[in-house]
Amino acid sequence: MIDCKIQLPKMTNKSVMLLSLVVLHSTVINGKMTCKWQLVEEWHTQPSSYVVNWTLSENICTDFYGDCWFGDVNTKMSPLGNQVVPQICPLQIQLGDILVISSEPSLQSPEINLMNVSEASFIDCVQNATTEDQLLFGCKLKGMHTVNSQWLSVGTHYFITVMANGPSLCQLGLRLNVTVKEQFCQEPLHSEFCSGHGKCLSEVWSKVYSCHCQPPFSGKYCQEVDACSHKPCENNGSCINKRGKWNKQGYECICHPPFTGINCSEIIDQCQPYVCFHGNYSNITTNSFICECDEPFSG
């Protein structure tokens, strides 16, 4: 059982701390936000470590549609009006990464902790009752603490500052949401990512990492060849991938009359087929046509 009886300093120290935090918060609001999204991330095979400074002096998002949001990601409206929830820059990591919280020295006077809450409680900054099983660490947040992997499962997690009494540090911006992503880039375990024909990537708005294939490959794991990538259908024919089921080429050409053939390269009159081997047809009539040859062909 964790002993979570938090004792505050005497009233004068509490007032001084509250005043200093408000001044610090105002400075951050008026200053330039430092958080920037990296729009695309590539899956790394070895775990990475991330250190989040639990402080009001940097990486606090407060402006509407500002640096810490992109599109609809982490854009949450305050119930008090037209303002985004102030918070430490939202973090996106991959499953297995290590997260370390480093506390601001000025916050080490009162005994504070971090608590896992629901999305609704995160937005409203509601602590309700402090339950021990939702506390991330021991009662005192001091120095650097590694977040247990139980709080970093796949999905988005919401952490706020809790303390017995005193200033509402959560409302000032000391809250963090962390999105943990998994990858779907390999079919069997230990197989090559994206079949060796692409990269395992995640956009900032995605919940997972997936394969982004290099032409002519396609499919969930880049395991299929896109036979239409080299545009085999001539004379404005439409190409349909058949994944090797229709013919050896793995594609089918839908031809516009009067063209026909596997690649729409033939034109047929009533007697015999004619083919432009390296070029396109022009001046087509019922009984004649002209081949406009590609360089360096002629004839």
Side-chain angles (χ1 to χ4, degrees):
M1 178 77 69
I2 301 175
D3 183 10
C4 286
K5 294 180 180 178
I6 300 176
Q7 298 293 330
L8 285 173
K10 57 184 181 180
M11 195 62 157
T12 53
N13 291 340
K14 173 183 159 185
S15 301
V16 170
M17 186 191 72
L18 174 59
L19 178 61
S20 62
L21 288 174
V22 170
V23 171
L24 181 58
H25 182 250
S26 299
T27 302
V28 173
I29 290 178
N30 296 326
K32 182 180 179 181
M33 303 305 160
T34 58
C35 175
K36 296 289 185 183
W37 286 110
Q38 186 164 341
L39 300 185
V40 179
E41 291 275 2
E42 184 173 3
W43 181 271
H44 43 267
T45 56
Q46 298 298 321
S48 292
S49 296
Y50 296 86
V51 178
V52 173
N53 294 322
W54 208 255
T55 172
L56 289 169
S57 62
E58 59 183 73
N59 288 349
I60 298 294
C61 308
T62 56
D63 55 336
F64 187 64
Y65 291 114
D67 292 338
C68 290
W69 290 270
F70 185 88
D72 293 331
V73 177
N74 295 309
T75 303
K76 303 298 181 183
M77 299 301 297
S78 166
L80 301 177
N82 231 10
Q83 187 177 7
V84 170
V85 172
Q87 57 179 300
I88 294 174
C89 177
L91 186 63
Q92 298 193 14
I93 63 177
Q94 68 182 44
L95 186 63
D97 283 343
I98 300 169
L99 177 60
V100 177
I101 304 295
S102 177
S103 62
E104 168 75 30
S106 63
L107 300 178
Q108 295 177 7
S109 178
E111 292 191 358
I112 66 174
N113 199 347
L114 304 188
M115 186 171 71
N116 178 67
V117 297
S118 66
E119 181 182 11
S121 295
F122 179 85
I123 295 172
D124 296 336
C125 212
V126 176
Q127 176 179 337
N128 294 328
T130 303
T131 55
E132 293 182 14
D133 60 347
Q134 294 301 305
L135 293 174
L136 268 65
F137 313 116
C139 288
K140 176 82 170 177
L141 178 61
K142 183 177 181 180
M144 302 184 73
H145 298 259
T146 300
V147 177
N148 192 292
S149 59
Q150 76 177 89
W151 305 113
L152 299 176
S153 58
V154 173
T156 301
H157 305 273
Y158 302 92
F159 307 134
I160 66 174
T161 305
V162 293
M163 55 192 305
N165 295 295
S168 180
L169 303 181
C170 176
Q171 291 179 351
L172 289 178
L174 287 180
R175 52 183 141 177
L176 170 71
N177 78 72
V178 180
T179 300
V180 182
K181 303 181 180 182
E182 59 185 330
Q183 59 90 4
F184 296 104
C185 295
Q186 51 186 165
E187 192 166 12
L189 193 62
H190 304 306
S191 64
E192 194 172 10
F193 277 22
C194 304
S195 305
H197 304 306
K199 291 186 177 182
C200 187
L201 305 175
S202 178
E203 293 91 353
V204 67
W205 53 85
S206 299
K207 295 296 184 182
V208 298
Y209 285 78
S210 58
C211 286
H212 290 233
C213 306
Q214 301 169 346
F217 298 96
S218 63
K220 184 176 180 179
Y221 305 108
C222 304
Q223 77 281 14
E224 300 172 348
V225 176
D226 182 3
C228 290
S229 63
H230 64 286
K231 299 180 180 179
C233 302
E234 300 178 18
N235 300 299
N236 296 318
S238 300
C239 184
I240 300 176
N241 270 299
K242 291 295 183 179
R243 311 300 181 202
K245 298 177 181 178
W246 187 76
N247 57 18
K248 292 182 179 180
Q249 288 78 17
Y251 64 88
E252 177 184 2
C253 288
I254 306 300
C255 306
H256 299 290
F259 301 103
T260 187
I262 293 178
N263 294 334
C264 302
S265 60
E266 301 176 12
I267 181 171
I268 299 179
D269 64 11
Q270 296 178 351
C271 299
Q272 59 179 328
Y274 295 94
V275 179
C276 287
F277 292 100
H278 300 288
N280 287 308
Y281 301 90
S282 67
N283 298 328
I284 300 171
T285 66
T286 305
N287 298 310
S288 67
F289 66 92
I290 295 175
C291 284
E292 295 182 345
C293 304
D294 298 331
E295 292 290 345
F297 299 98
S298 63

